[in-house]
């Protein structure tokens, strides 16, 4: 595939909806230059939901705004619908309204003095769609989003969840096939957020639009994504299906971000295929090698999630089992989280049906080897 031509010389069905090549963006600030994006390349296929997941300041919004045309990248190329919309080398920057995409923001961004109906119709009015066509498309969007009875209301008369539905209806009505979402659910309370998230999944199935969806919430990411790109200061650290990302994080950064909050340092003691046995401060620990380049004797980190541990009061002597003491237990509604100490090391454990345990209670911890990821100590490289 040559990216130098004006359109992709491939079959339409195989043409990605969005292609980003070597995109960089730096901002000049009073404190110097900030690199928001450092050489990002990725494709979003048609009908796919790609979630950009990462902590605050890693460049998620900047990447979305570059795709939309609201931000000018410093260098690189962007293709949307198979058309080149940005190229630093060619000094090409297509304006946002020509890119055939819609955006849904965290802050809803509705016109306060227009009714729900007028807000939803707005992109169609701007692009001079005929009156009858506007009526039927808005009616359909109102129906799909359950907003029919609010058509004559103003945004100020609606709840946050209802306002975000209006923004969603406005994006759907434009029928561009590509919607960019910037943390659209993060201003809503937990229950509304979950309901709207599920409705969004249903609507995506129904309308088959392509989405680039920004969030810093790993559960939202897993629920919505066909693929997740985990962002780390201006670049994609790992791109894969939710299963790949959660079960097989490739770096310590990704593992940590998706909730592998337990980290034990050690040296690689033995390798048997993918099975890696690590000599740690708590004893020998079996896990899965993440990198074929790992060698016996390497400094490594073993990481695992609190929910991939088990607590027993009876003692046994299987591998990956250790004597521990409870330091504290916290009841979190659906489960109990314990902080335990094993040979001086602090571990976070989770039990779904477990009981609160008084501080000092001796326990036996089992760590599931298939869920322990063993990484190179980054400092070596
Ligand atoms: N207009 C700007 N001027 C200067 N620096 C900026 C500007 N916009 C973003 N940045 C910087 O670029 C980096 C990436 O910002 P961005 O808004 O893309 O992060 P984000 O991942 O969306 O974060 P959040 O989760 O907090 O929304 C940050 O360091 C930010 O301070
Ligand atoms: Mg942001």
């Amino acid at each position: 595939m040559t990216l130098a031509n004006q359109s992709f010389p491939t079959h339409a069905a195989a043409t990605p909806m969005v292609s980003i090549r070597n995109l960089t963006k730096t901002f000049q600030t009073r404190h110097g230059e900030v690199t928001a994006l450092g050489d990002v390349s990725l494709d979003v296929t048609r009908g796919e939901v790609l979630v950009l997941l990462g902590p605050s300041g890693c460049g998620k919004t900047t990447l979305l705004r570059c795709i939309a045309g609201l931000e000018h990248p410093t260098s690189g190329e962007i293709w949307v619908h198979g058309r080149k919309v940005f190229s630093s080398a060619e000094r090409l920057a297509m304006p946002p309204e020509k890119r055939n995409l819609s955006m849904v923001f965290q802050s809803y961004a509705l016109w306060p003095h227009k009714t729900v109906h007028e807000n939803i119709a707005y992109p169609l009015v701007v692009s001079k769609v005929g009156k009858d066509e506007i009526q039927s498309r808005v009616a359909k969007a109102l129906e799909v989003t359950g907003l029919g009875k609010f058509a004559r209301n103003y945004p100020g008369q609606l709840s946050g969840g209802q306002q975000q539905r209006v923004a969603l209806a406005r994006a759907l009505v434009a029928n561009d096939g590509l919607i960019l979402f910037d943390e659209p659910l993060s201003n809503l309370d937990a229950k509304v957020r979950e309901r709207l998230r599920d409705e969004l999944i249903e609507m995506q199935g129904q309308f088959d639009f392509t989405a680039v969806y920004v969030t810093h919430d790993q559960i939202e990411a897993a629920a919505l994504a066909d693929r997740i790109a985990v962002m780390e200061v201006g670049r994609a650290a790992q791109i894969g299906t939710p299963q790949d990302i959660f079960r097989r994080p490739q770096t310590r950064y990704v593992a940590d971000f998706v909730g592998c909050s337990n980290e034990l340092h050690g040296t690689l003691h033995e390798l048997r295929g993918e099975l890696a046995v690590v000599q740690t401060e708590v004893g020998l620990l079996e896990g899965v090698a993440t990198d074929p380049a790992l060698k016996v004797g390497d400094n490594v980190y073993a990481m695992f999630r609190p929910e991939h541990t088990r607590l027993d009061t009876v003692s046994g002597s299987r591998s990956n089992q250790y004597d521990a003491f409870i330091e504290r237990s916290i009841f979190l509604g659906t489960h109990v989280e314990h902080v335990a100490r094993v040979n001086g090391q602090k571990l976070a454990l989770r039990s779904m049906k477990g009981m609160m345990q008084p501080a000092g209670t001796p326990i036996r911890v089992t760590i599931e080897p298939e869920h322990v990821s063993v990484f190179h100590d980054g400092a070596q490289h």
Side-chain angles (χ1 to χ4, degrees):
M1 184 189 299
T2 107
L3 294 173
N5 298 333
Q6 203 55 34
S7 60
F8 275 79
T10 48
H11 299 299
T15 307
M17 180 61 100
V18 180
S19 283
I20 291 165
R21 291 291 175 274
N22 307 108
L23 206 70
T24 66
K25 172 68 186 170
T26 51
F27 289 104
Q28 307 300 331
T29 70
R30 271 187 297 154
H31 312 290
E33 204 169 74
V34 177
T35 302
L37 297 175
D39 202 16
V40 176
S41 294
L42 53 86
D43 284 340
V44 189
T45 52
R46 273 163 207 275
E48 178 181 41
V49 178
L50 178 78
V51 171
L52 304 177
L53 175 68
S56 186
C58 71
K60 306 180 295 294
T61 295
T62 304
L63 182 53
L64 214 60
R65 286 172 57 83
C66 287
I67 300 171
L70 300 170
E71 203 75 77
H72 271 200
T74 308
S75 62
E77 289 186 342
I78 304 173
W79 306 67
V80 176
H81 292 284
R83 288 182 303 161
K84 197 182 276 185
V85 298
F86 179 84
S87 163
S88 54
E90 293 170 34
R91 297 181 164 275
L92 167 74
M94 195 183 275
E97 64 277 11
K98 295 243 169 75
R99 296 192 181 193
N100 295 102
L101 51 85
S102 308
M103 237 181 127
V104 179
F105 301 91
Q106 183 176 15
S107 59
Y108 322 142
L110 302 175
W111 298 103
H113 58 285
K114 290 186 192 293
T115 64
V116 166
H117 191 287
E118 288 163 348
N119 264 287
I120 298 173
Y122 187 74
L124 301 180
V125 173
V126 170
S127 45
K128 303 205 167 52
V129 174
K131 265 208 168 109
D132 292 346
E133 170 87 14
I134 292 181
Q135 281 310 322
S136 70
R137 277 161 73 175
V138 173
K140 173 100 202 281
L142 284 167
E143 185 199 317
V144 171
T145 49
L147 287 167
K149 58 177 182 289
F150 302 110
R152 308 263 156 255
N153 285 40
Y154 289 89
Q157 299 169 312
L158 303 178
S159 72
Q162 288 160 345
Q163 289 187 54
Q164 197 53 301
R165 279 205 174 83
V166 177
L168 194 56
R170 183 180 54 188
L172 286 174
V173 88
N175 209 11
D176 288 317
L178 173 62
I179 308 182
L180 310 178
F181 295 90
D182 194 358
E183 308 214 28
L185 307 182
S186 59
N187 278 347
L188 306 170
D189 73 59
K191 232 180 165 143
V192 177
R193 191 160 65 218
E194 267 176 41
R195 198 169 63 220
L196 219 51
R197 180 194 73 198
D198 293 347
E199 287 177 19
L200 204 57
I201 294 170
E202 265 177 43
M203 280 180 215
Q204 202 274 330
Q206 199 179 338
F207 291 89
D208 203 29
F209 55 80
T210 307
V212 184
Y213 188 104
V214 164
T215 182
H216 57 254
D217 182 327
Q218 41 159 317
I219 295 173
E220 199 171 295
L224 281 160
D226 292 308
R227 283 187 309 152
I228 296 175
V230 180
M231 302 274 296
E232 176 180 12
V233 281
R235 59 180 203 93
Q238 185 176 350
I239 303 180
T241 63
Q243 284 89 340
D244 281 343
I245 299 283
F246 281 82
R247 296 207 181 127
R248 289 286 170 263
Q250 282 165 3
T251 66
R252 277 172 72 198
Y253 171 86
V254 174
D256 184 40
F257 194 75
V258 299
C260 296
S261 48
N262 291 303
E263 185 179 82
L264 293 171
H265 194 228
T267 51
L268 193 56
H269 177 77
E270 194 184 337
L271 259 178
R272 273 179 271 142
E274 268 208 325
L275 176 83
V277 185
V278 183
Q279 180 69 61
T280 71
E281 297 97 324
V282 307
L284 289 176
L285 173 67
E286 292 181 2
V288 181
T290 58
D291 182 349
L294 280 171
K295 302 182 305 299
V296 168
D298 282 351
N299 283 332
V300 291
Y301 281 94
M303 295 177 74
F304 51 95
R305 303 173 74 88
E307 52 271 45
H308 289 144
T309 57
R310 277 198 325 273
L311 256 73
D312 297 307
T313 38
V314 287
S315 63
S317 58
R318 299 223 327 272
S319 58
N320 280 26
Q321 281 196 341
Y322 312 93
D323 286 320
F325 287 98
I326 292 285
E327 215 165 79
R328 59 175 191 274
S329 296
I330 310 160
F331 179 64
L332 289 171
T334 51
H335 59 271
V336 177
E337 293 228 336
H338 309 276
V339 175
R341 232 172 236 284
V342 183
N343 201 16
Q345 288 294 307
K346 244 187 204 176
L347 292 182
L349 315 172
R350 176 177 294 189
S351 55
M352 295 311 289
K353 39 186 199 297
M355 311 282 283
M356 302 280 287
Q357 302 273 5
T361 308
I363 50 159
R364 189 95 179 138
V365 179
T366 306
I367 302 169
E368 298 167 13
E370 65 274 29
H371 294 297
V372 176
S373 299
V374 178
F375 300 102
H376 252 300
D377 178 348
Q380 287 189 138
H381 296 277

